[in-house]
């Protein structure tokens, strides 16, 4: 009788929420904010969408050219300045 009760408890609980939680470009890790590249790229995409550009966080993460173009499009927005430092580091000019 113990095994069916345990299985029923697991079935009732449902899957755990394993999504990464981002707040203002910071990942929430054990209740504390931590700047991670994943969340920084999500913030870059969010700011670009606010300015009218259609781009996803995965596109920014997976294609450095998209990230560079987004950082150029958005300009010097203080919210993404840290995230865009590496996007434009190949040229002689600073972002």
């Amino acid at each position: 009788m113990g095994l069916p009760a345990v299985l029923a408890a697991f079935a009732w609980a449902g899957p755990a929420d394993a999504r990464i939680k981002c707040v203002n470009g910071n990942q929430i890790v054990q209740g504390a904010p931590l700047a991670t590249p994943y969340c920084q790229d999500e913030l870059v995409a969010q700011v670009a969408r606010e300015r009218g550009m259609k781009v996803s966080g995965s596109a920014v993460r997976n294609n450095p050219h998209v990230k560079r173009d987004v950082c150029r499009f958005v300009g010097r927005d203080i919210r993404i300045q840290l995230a865009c430092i590496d996007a434009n580091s190949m040229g002689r000019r600073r972002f």
Side-chain angles (χ1 to χ4, degrees):
M1 175 133 175
L3 183 61
V6 171
L7 292 176
F10 281 121
W12 179 76
D17 186 18
R19 288 184 24 174
I20 294 174
K21 292 174 179 52
C22 297
V23 175
N24 297 326
N26 297 310
Q27 182 176 342
I28 304 302
V29 178
Q30 297 179 351
L34 176 68
T36 61
Y38 178 88
C39 290
Q40 291 289 312
D41 289 344
E42 286 294 325
L43 180 63
V44 168
Q46 175 188 346
V47 171
R49 287 190 299 268
E50 289 174 5
R51 303 246 177 152
M53 188 175 196
K54 293 183 180 184
V55 66
S56 67
S58 64
V60 172
R61 271 190 307 282
N62 297 323
N63 190 335
H65 298 293
V66 169
K67 185 173 183 177
R68 184 190 64 220
D69 292 342
V70 169
C71 287
R72 284 184 182 169
F73 175 77
V74 173
R76 295 185 181 267
D77 192 310
I78 191 72
R79 295 176 290 174
I80 62 168
Q81 191 172 18
L82 179 65
C84 286
I85 286 175
D86 62 340
N88 293 318
S89 63
M90 295 178 72
R92 289 186 285 163
R93 295 186 314 169
R94 192 173 160 256
F95 175 71

